[in-house]
Amino acid sequence: MAWRGLAHRGWGCGQAWAPPAGGCSSEELTAALARPRLLARRFNFLIQQKCGFRKAPRKVEPRRSDTGRSGEAYKRSALIPPVEETVFYPSPYPIRTLVKPFLFTVGFTGCAFGSAAIWQYESLKSRVQSYFDGIKADWLDSLRPQKEIDFRKEINKFWNNLSDGQRTVTGIIAANVLVFCLWRVPSLQWTMIKYFTSNPASKVLCSPMLLSTFSHFSLFHMAANMYVLWSFSSSIVNILGQEQFMAMYLSAGVISNFVSYVCKVATGRYGPSLGASGAIMTVLAAVCTKIPDGRLAIIFLPMFTFTAGNALKAIIAMDTAGMILGWKFFDHAAHLGGALFGIWYITYGHELIWKNREPLVKIWHELRTDGPKKGGGSK
């Protein structure tokens, strides 16, 4: 009835209200204006009650930084954690975001090689002392009655049978396994994403450059990286030594992540990265550069062998193509940065950095010995 009366007065659907031809009083005009408002309120109330009384608020999607310039969504690799719910805010001045990572890369690399030089100095002193302690221990063991089963002795025997390189990378592998287990703790997911994945669009820029080197989300990714590291450990440690290798490995992780930062900022393809692939590419490139005629084989195809030099060229070509074409399964920029750093260090870096460590070692030696003591005359 209400709708029919309104239509009679000129309130049909899509029509504006018009007064009757004979005019109307102020009371009739007020009643006519109030009637459609009341009906509209009742109509809206019925609609809301039918839809659950109140319309659910619209869910605001977080702004994702993993979109390229073309606007296509960033396709997440199966090797990285699901970070779609993480909100990243790319800086309006992307070049400025590289200043702190650059300073961190230079400072950390210098500290790594400086610490390695001091570590080598202390290691040499410890080896001399251990030699005399070992002679004394062997003499005492010959006098003591031997136990039938000594578990500790068996562990020491197994450890001593490993090469220097295998003993060196055991700690690295243990750290990677520990971080992999932390990824499986639900309450630590946000912390792991924040500190153990590197992304130039994240608020934390520097520490993930190192921590992500020990971080793997996929078991296959970690197993493949650790197998390659274990396979090349003996060769690289024989070439560089334990201390220099550790400095190069840690620096390679930071440097490869910085190259990844530069590539992401330049292309606008933001996204998280993690894994030791960049540092391992440095090890692989260093061995292949030093021993280009060595024979290598693929893990699952051991019957096909090729020279180390050809393998390095193929890897660099693949990562270069992946970086240019925007392949997103691996962080090809980090791989390429690690490989180039390994080639540079074996060719030039060893002469420029490691062989010029004597001034630092001399300063450390004087600090350790407290300098020459000045003697005074007796009264």
Side-chain angles (χ1 to χ4, degrees):
M1 295 292 294
W3 284 103
R4 185 177 302 174
L6 289 174
H8 177 73
R9 290 178 176 264
W11 282 84
C13 181
Q15 296 179 357
W17 179 84
C24 64
S25 63
S26 60
E27 291 80 1
E28 293 178 353
L29 180 62
T30 303
L33 292 174
R35 190 174 301 170
R37 293 179 184 176
L38 180 60
L39 291 175
R41 290 178 182 177
R42 291 179 180 178
F43 186 68
N44 290 337
F45 174 79
L46 293 175
I47 293 178
Q48 291 178 358
Q49 191 175 20
K50 183 178 181 180
C51 298
F53 183 75
R54 181 171 296 178
K55 187 176 181 180
R58 182 181 178 184
K59 185 177 180 181
V60 180
E61 296 292 335
R63 186 175 68 177
R64 295 170 55 185
S65 62
D66 50 6
T67 56
R69 295 179 179 176
S70 60
E72 296 180 358
Y74 177 82
K75 297 180 180 179
R76 183 177 63 85
S77 170
L79 303 180
I80 64 175
V83 294
E84 285 82 1
E85 298 180 357
T86 305
V87 180
F88 295 111
Y89 298 97
S91 172
Y93 306 100
I95 300 300
R96 296 183 183 179
T97 62
L98 299 176
V99 175
K100 290 178 63 177
F102 174 76
L103 296 177
F104 176 78
T105 301
V106 175
F108 180 83
T109 302
C111 292
F113 280 96
S115 301
I118 296 174
W119 178 19
Q120 188 184 58
Y121 168 84
E122 295 293 337
S123 180
L124 290 175
K125 291 187 63 177
S126 177
R127 288 177 185 176
V128 174
Q129 185 64 33
S130 299
Y131 174 76
F132 293 103
D133 293 342
I135 295 176
K136 183 179 179 180
D138 293 340
W139 180 74
L140 291 176
D141 289 341
S142 63
L143 299 179
R144 295 173 183 173
Q146 299 293 325
K147 298 180 181 180
E148 294 183 0
I149 300 177
D150 191 346
F151 181 75
R152 182 178 178 182
K153 189 174 182 179
E154 293 297 325
I155 295 296
N156 291 334
K157 183 179 179 180
F158 168 77
W159 180 258
N160 293 329
N161 288 333
L162 297 177
S163 64
D164 292 338
Q166 291 172 340
R167 288 197 294 266
T168 302
V169 301
T170 299
I172 298 176
I173 295 175
N176 280 269
V177 173
L178 175 61
V179 176
F180 175 78
C181 294
L182 294 178
W183 272 110
R184 298 303 180 267
V185 181
S187 60
L188 296 178
Q189 288 293 306
W190 175 253
T191 301
M192 301 300 293
I193 292 173
K194 184 177 181 180
Y195 293 101
F196 286 85
T197 60
S198 60
N199 193 332
S202 177
K203 293 182 179 180
V204 183
L205 293 175
C206 295
S207 57
M209 297 174 69
L210 175 64
L211 297 178
S212 63
T213 306
F214 300 89
S215 179
H216 294 84
F217 183 77
S218 168
L219 178 61
F220 174 79
H221 189 201
M222 183 188 68
N225 280 340
M226 295 303 101
Y227 177 81
V228 174
L229 180 62
W230 181 269
S231 301
F232 284 86
S233 60
S234 299
S235 300
I236 191 63
V237 171
N238 289 336
I239 295 172
L240 301 177
Q242 182 182 19
E243 299 83 9
Q244 188 180 185
F245 159 72
M246 287 299 300
M248 187 192 73
Y249 183 86
L250 297 177
S251 300
V254 175
I255 291 172
S256 61
N257 273 304
F258 178 73
V259 176
S260 175
Y261 276 13
V262 174
C263 181
K264 290 175 182 178
V265 170
T267 60
R269 299 167 183 165
Y270 294 95
S273 299
L274 76 171
S277 301
I280 292 175
M281 281 298 299
T282 298
V283 174
L284 179 63
V287 174
C288 292
T289 303
K290 192 69 176 181
I291 315 173
D293 296 330
R295 305 298 298 183
L296 301 179
I298 302 176
I299 299 176
F300 303 106
L301 300 173
M303 69 288 299
F304 298 103
T305 60
F306 38 84
T307 63
N310 291 333
L312 180 59
K313 294 176 183 177
I315 291 174
I316 292 177
M318 182 185 68
D319 286 324
T320 302
M323 184 179 65
I324 295 175
L325 299 178
W327 297 345
K328 298 169 184 176
F329 191 75
F330 296 112
D331 191 342
H332 295 280
H335 289 191
L336 186 61
L340 295 178
F341 175 67
I343 296 173
W344 175 85
Y345 187 80
I346 288 297
T347 307
Y348 305 104
H350 177 75
E351 298 287 336
L352 295 175
I353 299 177
W354 192 249
K355 288 193 174 181
N356 292 321
R357 70 189 186 281
E358 285 80 5
L360 176 62
V361 175
K362 185 177 179 180
I363 294 174
W364 178 256
H365 175 73
E366 293 176 354
L367 293 175
R368 288 277 278 117
T369 55
D370 293 331
K373 298 181 179 180
K374 296 181 181 180
S378 60
K379 293 183 180 178

